[in-house]
Structures are given as C-alpha cells and as structure tokens.
Amino acid sequence: MKVEADVLEVARAASVPATAGRGRSLRVLLHNAVAALAVLAAWQVATWVVRSVFFPSPWQVARALVDLGLNGDVAGHTLLTHMWWSMARLAAGFLMGVLLGVPLGLLMGLYKPLYAGTRAALEPFRFIPPIAWIPLTIVLLSGFSRYVFLIWLGAFFPIFVATLVGVPRVEPIHKNVAKVHGAGRWYILRKVVIPSILPDILGGMRVGMGTAWMTIVAAEMSGGETTGLGRMMVNYAELIRIPEIVVGMILIGALGFAMNEVLLRIEQRLFRWRWEVTL
Amino acid sequence: MRAGGEKVLVDVTQRFGDLVVLDRLRFSIAANEFVCVLGKSGCGKTTVANLLAGLLPCSEGAVTIDGVSADPRRHELAFVFQEPSLWPWRTVRDNIRIGLEIKRVPAPELERRVADMIELVGLRGFETYYPYQISGGMKQRVAIARAFAVDADLILMDEPFAALDEQTRHGMQAEVLRIWERKKTTVVFVTHNLEEAIYLAERIIVLTEKPTRIKASLDVELPRPRDYAHPGFIALRKRLGELMGSAW
Ligand SMILES: Nc1ncnc2c1ncn2[C@@H]1O[C@H](COP(=O)(O)OP(=O)(O)O)[C@@H](O)[C@H]1O
Ligand SMILES: [Mg+2]
C-alpha cells in the first residue's frame, strides 16, 4: 500500500486549522479590546469638543446604566426586565420564522411549480419592511402578539429565501450516490438535501436575526406594553434623558452582537466539515 | 474466466432530444465478470453507466439484471462516479456506511463490513477525517470502499481514476483488482484509457463514435498481474489503437 504521499497531504490539510490556535485568538481578543477602548476614548474627546448638555459622556452613561440596572426606570422596571422581554419576544418571533421559513422553503424548493405559481402573490410581501406593518398591527393586534408578528415578518423572509435558493444548488451527484443504493425521497431529503443546505439556512438565520432585532426595537416603540428596550428608550426620550437612551442603544448593539456570535459558534461546530465558515 | 450465465443484459437506444447517443447498443455481462467499456470522450460512456445503474430511464429498450429490469430498489447496485462524490459533511467512515445504511443492514453487521472495507483499502487511522482533509487518491479509495461495502449485483465505475496522477492511478488499479478478486462481484468499468482497460479487464467492449454502437468485444487472456511490457499487452494495445483510430 502506497500511503506515504497521502499521509503528507493529510498532515498538510490538518495543519491549516491548527495554526489558528490559542496564541492567535488571544491576540485577536487583545486587538478587539484596544479597538473598543479607542471608540470609548473618541467618544470622551467628542464630549469635550461638543460641550452640549444633550451629548452625554461615557461616564454619565455608565452611571445611568448602573442606576437603571439597580433601581429600575421611572416605572420601576429594571434593565434586566426590559432585556428579558425584548429577548422573549425576539425568541418567539424568530422561532416562528424558522419553523415556517425552513419547511416552506424546502417545500417550494423541491416542488418548483408551487413556487413558480405563487411567486407573484408571495414576493411583494418581502419588499414591505416590517416597520411598514406597524400602523396596521396597532389596530389589529396588541402587545405580545403584535411584537411577535412583526418580528416573525422580519425573520421569516431571509430564512425562507435562503432555504428556497439552497435546494436547487444541492449537488446532483450527492443525490445520485443515495439513489444508486435505492434510497427513497425521504432519505434523500433528510440525509442529502438538508445537510447540503444547512449552511445556507444558518446564514439566512443570521440575516433574519439581524432584521428581527431591528424590528423588535421599532415594534416596542410603537407602544402597547411598558417593557422592552425600545419602550424604555421612548419613555426616556419623552423626558429628554439622553444618557438612559444611550444605555438602550448600547445594550441593543451588544445583545445583537452576542446573539450573532452564538449563531456563528453554532455554525462553526456544525460545519467542521467545511473548509471555511462564512462570515 | 467467465462463470455462470449472463447476469446483465443491455439492449438500449438512448436519445437526448434529437441527439441519438446510443444506437441499439447490445451486450451482456456474465456474473463476476470484470468488463471494461472503452470509448472516447463524449461517446456515451457515462450514459451507459447511468442506464445500468437505473439513474436514467432508457429511451428505448431495457437493461435487465438477473432477468429483472435494472432498479436500484430491487438490485444491489454501486457506483463510483467520475466526479467527486463523497458527502463533505460526513467522515470517511460515515461515507462508507451510506449504501449499507440505505439497505438497512443491521448495526453490528454494518460496523463489521465498514471496518473490513477500511482495512481493505488501507484507510485505517483516517476513519474520522472529513473529505476536505484527505487527498484526491484517498477520496477515490473511500468511494471504492463505499461501492464494495455492499454485496452488489453490479458495480459501476465511471472513469474513477481520470483525475488522479499516473502513479496514484496505477496503485489504485491494482487495488481495485485485489478487492474484486477478494469480493468476486460483477464490475463494469468505463474508461477512455487503453492501458487501463487492458490492465483491468477480462473483456473489453469498444464503442464507436456517436451514434454509438459496439465496435468490438475482445477477451483479454493475459496473465495477472499484467505487465505493460508483455508482448501480448503491447499487441493488444496496438490492436485497440487501430480499432479506436479507425472509429474516429
Ligand atoms: N442529460 C443530458 N442531456 C442532453 N445531452 C446529454 C445528457 N447527458 C449526456 N448528453 C450528451 O450525450 C453525449 C454522451 O455523454 P456522456 O455519456 O457523458 O459521454 P462520455 O461519458 O463518454 O464522455 C454527449 O454528447 C453529451 O453531451
Ligand atoms: Mg463520462
């Protein structure tokens, strides 16, 4: 058996991810910490230049953060409560987006006439931003159901479309491998189609998560309930208390970032078989 | 050596639109025979393999295996494709399982057979590697292991080594023969390479240009392992060169 040349090649292939080890990830962490501090410093400098009572310093915002976290807002809700509700609504709407988007995308991807025949009825909805639905939903829905509906609208289409366009891109040869051995459609769907397009679906989920997160804030600002980060920001806007508004902004950014990172980690775990993981 | 009766019967005409690719192509294959189908690029070799595997419906005529129309659900078939065909999301071991998994081979038996094939193609130690981590030669070895893991009525190999370098190819050819001698299955090996056909085949079916018919069917009675410098090898190569040359 002549395996030596192959072994060398294997060693070469395996060594690529190995170099991206501890040392490098620590350096990346350091770079990010420095960059974050630089933004903070620039902000501080800007407050010295602008000198407006409506432009808060990092220090004022930090105080507002601690105060909101410990003592709560004007209505007594703490930051944790606001965050919890925003996240709960997001999770519910996003989950519905996945549960409807993936099966519908699969179905329409597998049965092309179904998509071709409903295209004109379906596609225009994609171009109505979820925010444009707010006036209608204020009338028709209230509270939690309104928020979930709006988030679902935001999350659904990116997930649905990613699944839909992924299906025809499945390698025919990968399906043929199963067909030759007599596999049925159900086996091919579960063992070939879904693993093939899972990276597309996860990519769509990340885009959907982004849209959903933008939608939740706007949805909460539309009123209905007293909790949620968007609601909190509107409350403080009415009081012209800028530091608290900035606290809301920062938390929205940080939570969105954290959720995206979680999805990325899941992708990296799930798709170890892939040469590169998309960003 | 031809044992038993005719296992596979082919009698097909194949069209794609107006293009007649196979024109009443007729041949038969005996059980446990190693047949090479030789023809130039574009003459319809992949089409023949697809028809034999039941991946493509015949325009006219039929392919029968043991008297029954070729059907992946009724026959045990296996295919080593020309293009990369490993599932990139599965490890070496899990790729080799595919055929057995579909045929619902019980777990202990399945594990034993997968382990046997890994041993037989020399992939021990690479069971948990993903396709992107191994070389082209190893990938094709996995594809071969996957095909021979099932007790196939018929194994189809469509230019499986065309993309490999010369040295790797020779090694793989010897390996395929070794496995075939061990497992004794019927193999149809498609190629455009004269030496490859002579080295491997018990019989070579030479195809014409499109619309494709059979140009010749030659028994290869050279001793194994075959030697490229053997006078018989050289004579046969010359003969095939003439056959192919006059066809184009
Ligand atoms: N699905 C198809 N539709 C139309 N033409 C095809 C199809 N498959 C093969 N052909 C044509 O049939 C001929 C034979 O193709 P193929 O069997 O792939 O040849 P080979 O494997 O010998 O190179 C080629 O001219 C090719 O263009
Ligand atoms: Mg071909």
Side-chain angles (χ1 to χ4, degrees):
Chain A
M1 182 83 6
K2 180 201 72 65
V3 191
E4 302 85 80
D6 288 340
V7 169
L8 281 178
E9 201 149 340
V10 166
R12 195 151 16 92
S15 74
V16 173
T19 54
R22 272 286 135 75
R24 187 180 291 188
S25 72
L26 246 156
R27 208 162 60 224
V28 169
L29 210 66
L30 189 71
H31 288 170
N32 278 289
V34 170
L37 280 175
V39 170
L40 217 59
W43 175 10
Q44 182 61 60
V45 170
T47 59
W48 290 332
V49 175
V50 177
R51 288 169 182 284
S52 157
V53 283
F54 298 117
F55 193 72
S57 68
W59 176 241
Q60 286 173 294
V61 172
R63 281 223 320 254
L65 174 78
V66 171
D67 189 44
L68 280 172
L70 295 177
N71 308 322
D73 64 5
V74 278
H77 300 301
T78 64
L79 267 185
L80 222 56
T81 313
H82 288 303
M83 279 160 56
W84 161 255
W85 276 107
S86 287
M87 302 277 276
R89 291 161 191 158
L90 183 98
F94 183 75
L95 203 69
M96 279 183 61
V98 175
L99 289 180
L100 275 154
V102 174
L104 212 62
L106 278 173
L107 194 72
M108 295 209 165
L110 292 169
Y111 301 96
K112 300 228 177 64
L114 195 60
Y115 176 63
T118 54
R119 228 177 115 77
L122 199 71
E123 289 277 313
F125 286 98
R126 230 175 106 185
F127 298 95
I128 306 171
I131 298 170
W133 285 83
I134 289 179
L136 193 62
T137 55
I138 286 179
V139 181
L140 296 177
L141 299 167
S142 66
F144 193 74
S145 64
R146 183 201 303 164
Y147 301 146
V148 170
F149 174 76
L150 290 168
I151 294 158
W152 169 75
L153 272 175
F156 172 79
F157 277 107
I159 296 168
F160 167 71
V161 172
T163 311
L164 178 73
V165 302
V167 174
R169 288 210 308 258
V170 177
E171 290 276 349
I173 199 155
H174 291 155
K175 288 195 247 179
N176 280 345
V177 166
K179 278 188 198 162
V180 158
H181 294 289
R185 306 174 71 129
W186 181 234
Y187 181 92
I188 291 173
L189 179 67
R190 277 185 315 134
K191 304 289 183 159
V192 186
V193 176
I194 291 179
S196 295
I197 64 171
L198 211 53
D200 296 306
I201 296 177
L202 262 282
M205 279 168 65
R206 266 192 294 127
V207 177
M209 177 75 87
T211 332
W213 194 229
M214 284 176 220
T215 314
I216 176 77
V217 175
E220 286 171 351
M221 286 180 173
S222 76
E225 288 190 23
T226 57
T227 53
L229 287 170
R231 182 71 242 162
M232 182 191 90
M233 287 166 71
V234 173
N235 287 344
Y236 280 98
E238 282 160 4
L239 298 170
I240 324 185
R241 298 253 303 259
I242 312 293
E244 280 80 1
I245 299 174
V246 176
V247 167
M249 288 168 64
I250 291 174
L251 282 177
I252 288 162
L255 284 176
F257 174 66
M259 286 187 294
N260 195 57
E261 286 295 297
V262 168
L263 277 181
L264 269 177
R265 290 290 140 78
I266 293 174
E267 271 179 61
Q268 280 166 352
R269 282 302 288 273
L270 233 46
F271 308 137
R272 262 169 312 161
W273 53 271
R274 279 185 115 198
W275 191 229
E276 27 54 89
V277 169
T278 53
L279 275 175
Chain B
M1 183 188 70
R2 289 208 230 151
E6 302 301 9
K7 188 171 179 74
V8 183
L9 287 171
V10 180
D11 180 358
V12 291
T13 294
Q14 190 65 27
R15 288 185 216 94
F16 294 112
D18 290 336
L19 179 74
V20 180
V21 178
L22 307 178
D23 179 23
R24 292 223 63 188
L25 190 75
R26 299 181 57 161
F27 61 91
S28 59
I29 300 159
N32 301 339
E33 196 178 16
F34 198 120
V35 172
C36 278
V37 174
L38 183 65
K40 234 191 175 172
S41 217
C43 78
K45 301 183 299 296
T46 297
T47 305
V48 170
N50 284 340
L51 288 169
L52 281 162
L55 286 174
L56 192 67
C58 311
S59 312
E60 237 175 75
V63 174
T64 58
I65 300 173
D66 294 323
V68 182
S69 179
D71 175 357
R73 283 168 176 268
R74 305 176 67 167
H75 298 107
E76 294 269 2
L77 301 171
F79 204 127
V80 183
F81 293 89
Q82 193 171 0
E83 299 89 24
S85 66
L86 300 188
W87 291 355
W89 56 89
R90 285 199 177 197
T91 59
V92 164
R93 184 201 288 124
D94 291 344
N95 262 287
I96 296 174
R97 293 166 55 106
I98 293 170
L100 302 166
E101 195 178 286
I102 293 169
K103 293 294 182 189
R104 295 175 201 281
V105 173
E109 163 81 0
L110 183 149
E111 297 302 339
R112 193 183 55 70
R113 282 215 238 167
V114 170
D116 274 0
M117 285 317 300
I118 286 171
E119 193 70 46
L120 201 56
V121 296
L123 284 169
R124 248 242 317 261
F126 297 103
E127 292 91 335
T128 58
Y129 282 66
Y130 285 93
Y132 81 86
Q133 295 173 304
I134 60 180
S135 70
M138 291 172 86
K139 280 183 206 154
Q140 246 1 14
R141 226 177 261 158
V142 176
I144 289 165
R146 179 165 71 186
F148 280 90
V150 294
D151 279 325
D153 294 307
L154 176 62
I155 295 184
L156 297 146
M157 303 182 86
D158 183 10
E159 308 201 44
F161 310 139
L164 303 180
D165 62 79
E166 183 115 348
Q167 202 189 338
T168 312
R169 187 163 66 229
H170 288 316
M172 300 287 287
Q173 288 164 355
E175 207 167 303
V176 163
L177 283 179
R178 195 167 52 80
I179 298 168
W180 169 70
E181 270 153 17
R182 268 275 302 275
K183 306 224 30 163
K184 275 299 167 201
T185 36
T186 314
V187 178
V188 172
F189 190 107
V190 158
T191 180
H192 67 265
N193 184 319
L194 306 181
E195 281 100 355
E196 185 164 67
I198 302 169
Y199 183 79
L200 292 172
E202 293 182 288
R203 186 158 58 96
I204 301 174
I205 294 173
V206 187
L207 301 180
T208 65
E209 220 183 345
K210 272 184 309 233
T212 303
R213 290 170 160 271
I214 289 176
K215 181 87 182 171
S217 174
L218 305 173
D219 289 312
V220 186
E221 270 145 7
L222 299 167
R224 292 189 193 271
R226 287 175 185 158
D227 175 5
Y228 285 65
H230 189 281
F233 197 107
I234 294 166
L236 189 54
R237 196 199 177 291
K238 188 155 171 290
R239 172 89 201 284
L240 283 173
E242 282 162 11
L243 276 171
M244 306 267 287
S246 65
W248 290 292

